[in-house]
Amino acid sequence: VDKYLSPTVPPYVTCSFRRPSDHRCDRRALISNSDYSSSAISSTSMQAFARWYTSSTAAPSSMRLSSVMKFIGGTNSRRNPLQRSRKFQTNSYGEQSPELAYVNRGPRYGSGPCTFFRLPFVPPDQIERDGFKGIDVALVGVPYDGGTTNRPGARYGPKGVREASSDHLRAVNQATGVSPLELGLCIRDVGDFNVSAPWSLESSHDEIEKKFANMLSHGAITPLSVGGDHSITLPILRALRKKVEEPLALIHIDAHADTGDAYLGSRFHHGAPFKVATDEGLIDPKRTIQIGIRGSLAHPEQWQFSKDSGMKVISMEEVETIGVKGVLAEIKGLLGGGK
């Protein structure tokens, strides 16, 4: 890594990873050497991954090679791969790929500033200068809870997830053996989307929508958002709807259906985003599934809109009866191979 980095580049920039199958993925903005172009995993190695994934017992039967390749073909990563030998690093865990060696650097109680999953952090000034170019998956915090009707505090969610994931989450799934950081995608923590007037609910939603729309304008980037109260889902759906130009299908896992209506003077609170999203044509209720709905109600018909609009609602009691495989079958039956 040092061979390609200017001595003036900050130490955290050494997060530029080598990717599977002898290729390397870097963000051009992190590299000061002008003759080193941004690159990533080759289509050949991604095809190999897609074939492995779709042939594994863990993969959903509805996931076809063509659909995986359609997604991969749209990522930012497929450009000018450099042919380089795969390097491994040695740390306290033994010999590991650079991806794992980076997230396993040092003891977790003393690893520096917390980021989502110990990923490299892209500072705001760099985003302002270069946008989100080269990033496939952007983890972004939305520390806003102005839409809560009861307990505040969700604004601290991004900070809490960063701390917990930095301290406790490891890079490899023990059950499946999958290491998400080694799948050839450029994944970064891009900080938080803050709002300028948090006491104004609707203007805050407008700001959040504009910031996500700006992110989505930078090619085939997938945002992974951490809130924040559930009201932030509405502006994010508005930005996504403009991007795909058709109503979205929705998989919603929650205790509450969040299809209420006006309450305490507003219909944009955290208990109503999916009713408003349906009313605005952001989601297709007949391709929406709500899973794990549970708990007590204020009145018997609190979530009646979900059923009347055609959403598939699976209560927690039903989840316990049909199990995870049954839930996955419901999702497959409802969504099929659509978006």
Side-chain angles (χ1 to χ4, degrees):
V1 173
D2 294 339
K3 182 178 179 180
Y4 297 101
L5 295 178
S6 162
T8 62
V9 177
Y12 73 82
V13 172
T14 56
C15 65
S16 51
F17 296 152
R18 292 182 178 88
R19 296 296 173 185
S21 291
D22 306 339
H23 301 305
R24 175 175 169 158
C25 172
D26 292 310
R27 293 194 71 246
R28 188 173 303 172
L30 297 182
I31 304 300
S32 62
N33 202 341
S34 61
D35 62 356
Y36 185 79
S37 61
S38 180
S39 62
I41 189 166
S42 70
S43 60
T44 302
S45 55
M46 289 301 275
Q47 289 171 6
F49 158 69
R51 292 193 182 96
W52 165 79
Y53 180 77
T54 53
S55 64
S56 72
T57 56
S61 58
S62 61
M63 181 71 79
R64 297 286 182 263
L65 176 60
S66 59
S67 63
V68 175
M69 290 311 299
K70 181 179 179 182
F71 166 76
I72 292 170
T75 65
N76 289 310
S77 298
R78 295 178 60 191
R79 65 172 84 86
N80 303 324
L82 297 179
Q83 299 289 339
R84 300 195 181 280
S85 60
R86 179 119 168 102
K87 298 296 182 67
F88 290 83
Q89 299 179 358
T90 300
N91 56 22
S92 58
Y93 294 96
E95 192 175 71
Q96 292 189 319
S97 66
E99 293 89 348
L100 295 189
Y102 180 80
V103 298
N104 287 329
R105 67 194 185 284
R108 291 183 174 267
Y109 55 81
S111 59
C114 293
T115 64
F116 289 126
F117 312 113
R118 306 185 103 197
L119 287 167
F121 174 70
V122 184
D125 59 337
Q126 184 174 305
I127 293 175
E128 184 175 349
R129 182 181 69 245
D130 305 307
F132 299 91
K133 181 166 42 173
I135 301 178
D136 295 310
V137 180
L139 284 87
V140 56
V142 188
Y144 181 74
D145 60 7
T148 55
T149 60
N150 187 14
R151 293 181 300 170
R155 71 188 73 175
Y156 300 107
K159 180 187 293 186
V161 173
R162 283 190 176 97
E163 182 175 348
S165 62
S166 292
D167 288 351
H168 305 297
L169 192 65
R170 306 310 194 263
V172 181
N173 185 299
Q174 183 172 214
T176 65
V178 172
S179 176
L181 301 183
E182 297 186 291
L183 297 183
L185 299 174
C186 197
I187 309 172
R188 296 290 186 267
D189 182 338
V190 299
D192 291 337
F193 283 174
N194 293 301
V195 297
S196 59
W199 54 85
S200 176
L201 177 57
E202 294 182 44
S203 69
S204 294
H205 283 183
D206 289 343
E207 282 192 70
I208 293 168
E209 178 186 350
K210 289 176 182 177
K211 291 182 178 184
F212 274 91
N214 176 56
M215 175 191 286
L216 293 167
S217 70
H218 289 79
I221 186 170
T222 299
L224 181 56
S225 314
V226 179
D229 70 53
H230 292 188
S231 75
I232 68 168
T233 310
L234 180 62
I236 296 172
L237 287 173
R238 285 171 175 164
L240 288 169
R241 173 67 172 80
K242 292 176 181 177
K243 174 76 172 181
V244 302
E245 300 181 341
E246 64 178 293
L248 298 159
L250 177 70
I251 300 173
H252 175 208
I253 303 173
D254 198 350
H256 301 151
D258 290 350
T259 50
D261 210 329
Y263 181 68
L264 297 178
S266 175
R267 64 192 301 260
F268 300 106
H269 56 85
H270 68 158
F274 300 120
K275 182 184 188 302
V276 178
T278 301
D279 292 342
E280 294 184 3
L282 310 180
I283 61 175
D284 180 355
K286 293 182 171 53
R287 297 175 61 229
T288 293
I289 184 167
Q290 301 185 301
I291 302 165
I293 307 304
R294 61 194 181 275
S296 55
L297 301 173
H299 57 88
E301 298 181 351
Q302 186 167 346
W303 309 131
Q304 191 62 37
F305 179 85
S306 292
K307 300 172 183 177
D308 291 345
S309 63
M311 297 180 185
K312 175 66 176 178
V313 180
I314 303 179
S315 68
M316 180 54 71
E317 289 77 13
E318 187 176 354
V319 170
E320 293 173 344
T321 299
I322 66 177
V324 173
K325 290 183 178 179
V327 171
L328 293 176
E330 293 281 359
I331 295 173
K332 177 184 175 183
L334 186 68
L335 303 185
K339 292 184 179 179

